[in-house]
Amino acid sequence: MSVPLRSVPLSILDLVSIPERSTVRDSIAASMESARLADRLGYRRLWFAEHHNTPNFAASATALLISQAASVTERIRVGAGGVMLPNHAPLMVAEQYGTLANIHGDRIDLGLGRAPGTDGLTAQALNRSSAEPQAFARSIFDMQGWFSDAGTAHSAPILSAVSAGTHVPIWVLGSTVNGASIAGQLGLPFSVASHFAPEQLDDAIRVYRDSFTPDAPTAQIAEPYVMAGVNVMIAHTDDEAARQFTVVEQMFLDVLKGERRMLQPPVDPAELETHGGRNPMLRIKAVGAPETAIAQLREFVERTDADELITATYAYDPAVRNRSMQLLADHWF
């Protein structure tokens, strides 16, 4: 049975990629232009993902990017996909996102992850705290207290006046059955990172739904809600989309080879074949002309029964990314 596409919202994950010969300033400006476009096209939410110690991403200070994106948009929800909680004090996160909600209203999301979003040495420089599941759950419970009307942590009489009453919704991010189980037991929506970690996708979604506990003290929703990540590149032809997709394929190949480069221009896909460019980490994708990509997305939704899709699109030229966003919206909404 075909999935009614209009019933499955689309969102966007942005790492603020930095192409070769561009600057961080250029990339942030291009990201904000894409935010305006996404707002006009009807995408549900725009999330920024925290990363550190990398030359090709400018999404490090996510709260600042969220504030800027919210200031140039009107409707779309803007948030973190996510804040890597081991890098941050929970009270500081509550204060930042409570402040964002007070500035921009009820459009702010807070996605939380247990990974550092970087290497071990950089994690130490960020004063990394414990990512142990119980500590993660306690931090979420305290943050919910700070976002509540009382504005007080559940574990201690500590007040956060700037976040009190904002009720910022919290998501759990993950790529494995462990993260899925935590999200389910906490009764929170789950965003699965299938766009770069597809190995446990089906098991993670099953575990999340099976373990979902609507009466947990931390629960914010009554039923499981899954948002799944998909790599997307849509162009006017299949060949052109495949060529543009080599930008992200080269990026992942660089990671495997230990190379540190900004985003590289697209190349002939055949050129990557000789260098092992077909990376299985990127197999959750919708790449092609609109009809091709929509068929791939439909198949993915039927496979996962996802409640929402979050798309990741990397392009050397920001205009290519915006064209892909436009073509997807034209054939989905």
Side-chain angles (χ1 to χ4, degrees):
M1 182 172 65
S2 295
V3 177
L5 298 182
R6 289 179 181 273
S7 68
V8 180
L10 290 179
S11 295
I12 293 171
L13 183 66
D14 190 357
L15 278 67
V16 193
S17 51
I18 310 172
E20 191 175 52
R21 298 192 178 89
S22 291
T23 66
V24 171
R25 183 186 294 269
D26 295 335
S27 297
I28 292 174
S31 177
M32 295 305 126
E33 187 58 37
S34 293
R36 295 184 184 93
L37 177 61
D39 192 42
R40 295 195 300 269
L41 292 176
Y43 286 85
R44 173 164 289 188
R45 65 187 92 239
L46 168 63
W47 281 4
F48 294 93
E50 176 185 348
H51 284 74
H52 303 279
N53 191 29
T54 174
N56 51 6
F57 297 139
S60 300
T62 52
L64 297 178
L65 294 169
I66 290 165
S67 187
Q68 183 64 18
S71 71
V72 300
T73 57
E74 298 178 355
R75 177 205 55 81
I76 195 169
R77 298 192 63 84
V78 189
V83 167
M84 300 296 102
L85 195 54
N87 301 335
H88 306 275
L91 175 57
M92 185 65 73
V93 175
E95 290 176 336
Q96 289 176 345
Y97 283 78
T99 300
L100 286 169
N102 275 295
I103 294 172
H104 301 291
D106 184 23
R107 289 200 291 138
I108 303 301
D109 292 331
L110 174 56
L112 298 172
R114 292 193 302 134
T118 187
D119 59 277
L121 184 62
T122 307
Q124 293 179 17
L126 290 164
N127 295 316
R128 186 182 182 194
S129 58
S130 174
E132 187 267 333
Q134 291 303 317
F136 184 72
R138 285 194 299 270
S139 294
I140 288 177
F141 199 33
D142 274 342
M143 281 190 283
Q144 288 179 332
W146 285 314
F147 291 135
S148 72
D149 291 336
T152 304
H154 292 290
S155 64
I158 300 172
L159 174 68
S160 173
V162 296
S163 58
T166 57
H167 301 283
V168 174
I170 293 177
W171 293 64
V172 172
L173 280 59
S175 59
T176 67
V177 293
N178 292 333
S181 178
I182 292 171
Q185 292 178 54
L186 295 177
L188 296 175
F190 179 49
S191 179
V192 58
S194 41
H195 58 294
F196 72 86
E199 291 80 7
Q200 297 186 37
L201 168 63
D202 298 301
D203 288 339
I205 292 176
R206 175 185 53 78
V207 167
Y208 167 67
R209 290 175 174 146
D210 289 347
S211 64
F212 187 81
T213 309
D215 56 355
T218 50
Q220 291 185 342
I221 53 177
E223 297 179 348
Y225 191 95
V226 173
M227 178 164 64
V230 185
N231 296 289
V232 172
M233 174 53 72
I234 303 178
H236 292 298
T237 67
D238 288 351
D239 287 346
E240 176 58 17
R243 180 176 177 274
Q244 293 296 338
F245 194 67
T246 63
V247 172
V248 66
E249 290 180 307
Q250 290 179 85
M251 182 179 75
F252 272 69
L253 187 60
D254 283 350
V255 172
L256 293 175
K257 294 165 60 178
E259 293 190 17
R260 295 170 58 85
R261 298 192 297 173
M262 296 178 179
L263 246 60
Q264 297 299 299
V267 297
D268 186 330
E271 182 178 328
L272 284 188
E273 291 286 358
T274 62
H275 295 88
R278 302 273 88 83
N279 194 315
M281 295 174 67
L282 297 172
R283 65 177 178 266
I284 303 300
K285 61 184 179 181
V287 177
E291 297 77 9
T292 303
I294 293 297
Q296 293 169 342
L297 287 173
R298 185 188 295 278
E299 181 181 352
F300 181 69
V301 171
E302 290 176 342
R303 166 186 168 183
T304 61
D305 196 24
D307 300 286
E308 186 173 338
L309 301 181
I310 187 162
T311 62
T313 300
Y314 301 87
Y316 182 77
D317 182 350
V320 171
R321 179 179 187 229
N322 291 344
R323 180 187 63 187
S324 179
M325 291 168 51
Q326 178 79 59
L327 289 171
L328 177 55
D330 289 346
H331 290 79
W332 190 273
F333 297 127

